[in-house]
Amino acid sequence: MIAIAEWMGIKRKDPHYTLMARRWARGFVISVAVGVVTGTAIAVQLALLWPNFMQAAGHTIGLPMFMETFAFFFEAIFLGIYLYTWDRFKSKMKHFLLVIPIVIGATASAFFITSVNAFMNYPTGFQIVDGVLTDVSPLSAMFNPATPTKISHVIITAYLTAAFILGMVAALKLLKNKGSEYYKKALHLNITAAAVFAIATAVIGDFSGKYLHEYQPEKLAAAEWHFETESEAPLILGGILTGDNEVRFALEIPYALSILAGGTPDTVVTGLNDFDPDYLPPLWVHYFFDSMVFIGMYLAAVSILFVAAGFKHRLNPLRRINPMHPLILKLIVAGGPLSMLAIQAGWIFAEVGRQPWIINGVMTVSEGATTSNHVDTMLWLFIALYTLLGVTSVIVLRKMFKENPVEKEMEKRNIPESTLN
Ligand code: HEB
């Protein structure tokens, strides 16, 4: 979003967009800094809590893990240069070029680290001889069947969330101060981007479903409480499961599970009854899958409504809706926290849905974990660390933007409140 805003500022010669890029970049620095600390915490966790996992899989996934660190440094170095060279170039385009490596670095970071998670879900690129992983091919471990859908779903939903968070801020400001042109443009830019990302999310989410059908059918069956192997399988939304595996109070969308799995209603979806009951994930993942999909639909509906209402063509049935109506603004505000919840729900579904495995079919979570007696101490320490980080980042971000509001910064930089002629 920073890159798009800076680009718009140059193309439209509109200092409002340039100011957005400046301000968002400052907030971004804080989240990158938090990312450094949590990234280090994860490295410590991997070594201390998952020694057997790291020993078994370290050779196979060492490459993307190292590449992730490399991508991070790439991003961080250019972010430093970017921040300090705003007014140093005669041509604004030159400064814009510096944001490209930041986008590449941040996205590559997500790419590499998610490929490690893809490997845990569908491990390839090695042989097991006497219980030891040998004949390692790091590249085929990295590019396993889970990689394409996982990486694209993670990256696009991260973009979607960023656009909604920034859109939420703009909508909140507009609810207070209806006239602000800066925030109207910020809202428009973010929610238009969000509509594009939301459609892409739905398309890729559909591919993720097809991936599960082919490679992790037990995860899909658990998500959908699908017990009998059959075609024309319905998608089950919400509901509760009774003691004898009867689904109650759910909304059923006929054929939708078969279509999600294979694209046609006659796709046969394997049911839970046909898997080894010792290796099935807990069935409560259903709620997490549902929440994610529901939020995905919500975000798509709200952002598409906003964009559609903006087209004033006489054939557009939504043209009479004011996209800046307080109700629409409030729906957008809700989209901010909801998108974050969807990310959490998606991860909980993907990870718990792989249980009891840490490396699918190769090593269980209990085999991968440490046998040390101090896991509970570690838990408290990490909770303390994450709480501290969470609280400080909120304080720092609030202070940063409260002390230097848009109006003040526009005055300081001689940017007019309106740039529309
Ligand atoms: Fe999601 C995950 C689908 C939306 C975030 N997803 C996921 C999965 C699936 C899906 C199937 C699993 C995969 C695996 O495991 O491999 N989604 C989906 C759909 C939808 C969605 C269909 C609707 C559109 N998501 C969504 C949203 C979000 C998300 C909205 C946010 C914002 N997800 C997610 C995550 C995850 C998921 C983060 C984890 C990772 C992976 O990929 O796995």
Side-chain angles (χ1 to χ4, degrees):
M1 293 316 300
I2 296 170
I4 298 174
E6 186 171 9
W7 172 262
M8 298 270 289
I10 296 171
K11 285 293 133 185
R12 297 205 174 166
K13 298 199 173 55
D14 185 336
H16 283 176
Y17 289 102
T18 314
L19 186 59
M20 280 171 216
R22 271 183 197 263
R23 292 176 65 83
W24 296 345
R26 280 180 227 138
F28 182 61
V29 172
I30 306 296
S31 61
V32 170
V34 172
V36 177
V37 186
T38 55
T40 314
I42 289 181
V44 173
Q45 287 176 345
L46 281 172
L48 290 181
L49 299 175
W50 307 102
N52 303 335
F53 164 68
M54 286 309 281
Q55 198 178 17
H59 305 289
T60 23
I61 54 177
L63 177 70
M65 283 210 172
F66 170 75
M67 295 294 282
E68 202 255 331
T69 317
F70 180 78
F72 166 74
F73 280 118
F74 189 73
E75 171 191 355
I77 289 168
F78 278 95
L79 182 60
I81 304 176
Y82 181 77
L83 286 177
Y84 286 103
T85 50
W86 268 105
D87 303 307
R88 300 287 168 88
F89 294 102
K90 271 220 178 76
S91 133
K92 292 196 166 134
M93 213 50 195
K94 289 211 176 105
H95 185 257
F96 171 78
L97 291 180
L98 285 171
V99 81
I100 295 173
I102 305 178
V103 175
I104 296 176
T107 306
S109 240
F111 182 100
F112 291 122
I113 208 62
T114 311
S115 81
V116 174
N117 182 264
F119 170 85
M120 294 164 71
N121 278 280
Y122 202 86
T124 51
F126 59 89
Q127 302 285 325
I128 301 180
V129 182
D130 301 328
V132 180
L133 273 64
T134 53
D135 264 346
V136 169
S137 151
L139 281 178
S140 47
M142 204 169 125
F143 295 99
N144 59 71
T147 305
T149 47
K150 251 198 202 285
I151 287 180
S152 42
H153 198 57
V154 164
I155 291 174
I156 207 78
T157 55
Y159 291 169
L160 172 66
T161 303
F164 253 99
I165 297 284
L166 294 170
M168 166 191 79
V169 174
L172 277 172
K173 295 284 179 184
L174 286 168
L175 282 165
K176 278 197 209 146
N177 171 10
K178 296 193 176 58
S180 167
E181 199 182 291
Y182 172 90
Y183 280 118
K184 274 186 194 161
K185 286 177 193 158
L187 182 74
H188 195 264
L189 178 62
N190 283 302
I191 303 304
T192 308
V196 177
F197 296 143
I199 294 169
T201 295
V203 174
I204 295 165
D206 183 61
F207 288 144
S208 295
K210 296 189 169 39
Y211 155 78
L212 286 187
H213 171 64
E214 206 169 325
Y215 295 98
Q216 292 184 277
E218 65 288 348
K219 198 193 269 184
L220 187 64
E224 280 307 316
W225 290 346
H226 184 65
F227 291 95
E228 301 295 334
T229 299
E230 60 184 9
S231 61
E232 302 181 359
L235 197 76
I236 291 170
L237 290 177
I240 55 166
L241 204 58
T242 63
D244 41 0
N245 289 342
E246 202 75 62
V247 180
R248 291 275 171 79
F249 312 118
L251 188 72
E252 277 194 18
I253 308 177
Y255 312 127
L257 180 55
S258 282
I259 294 174
L260 177 67
T264 56
D266 54 316
T267 306
V268 177
V269 183
T270 317
L272 288 163
N273 296 341
D274 287 336
F275 295 107
D276 184 345
D278 290 340
Y279 295 103
L280 280 185
L283 296 185
W284 48 259
V285 293
H286 173 67
Y287 295 112
F288 286 86
F289 180 68
D290 271 12
S291 317
M292 174 188 69
V293 173
F294 176 80
I295 295 173
M297 300 298 165
Y298 174 90
L299 299 176
V302 171
S303 53
I304 292 171
L305 173 68
F306 176 87
V307 174
F311 286 108
K312 295 304 175 196
H313 192 276
R314 67 185 167 79
L315 290 179
N316 177 8
L318 300 172
R319 71 182 180 283
R320 289 190 204 289
I321 299 176
N322 171 12
M324 301 282 171
H325 190 283
L327 182 66
I328 296 191
L329 294 180
K330 283 177 192 156
L331 292 175
I332 290 172
V333 171
L338 280 176
S339 60
M340 288 209 159
L341 286 176
I343 290 192
Q344 301 304 328
W347 276 118
I348 293 172
F349 163 56
E351 296 299 280
V352 178
R354 193 188 56 237
Q355 299 307 306
W357 304 106
I358 189 166
I359 309 174
N360 198 2
V362 175
M363 180 185 258
T364 61
V365 170
S366 50
E367 289 165 353
T370 175
T371 48
S372 149
N373 290 324
H374 304 291
V375 175
D376 46 354
T377 328
M378 297 288 289
L379 176 68
W380 291 115
L381 280 174
F382 281 115
I383 290 181
L385 173 70
Y386 286 124
T387 314
L388 182 77
L389 274 175
V391 173
T392 25
S393 36
V394 172
I395 294 176
V396 172
L397 281 170
R398 277 184 69 109
K399 207 166 145 51
M400 189 175 202
F401 288 99
K402 275 233 149 98
E403 279 178 5
N404 188 14
V406 173
E407 297 74 23
K408 198 164 138 193
E409 201 170 350
M410 291 211 271
E411 212 177 283
K412 201 173 78 197
R413 298 187 189 279
N414 286 326
I415 300 173
E417 270 180 37
S418 170
T419 55
L420 305 171
N421 305 316

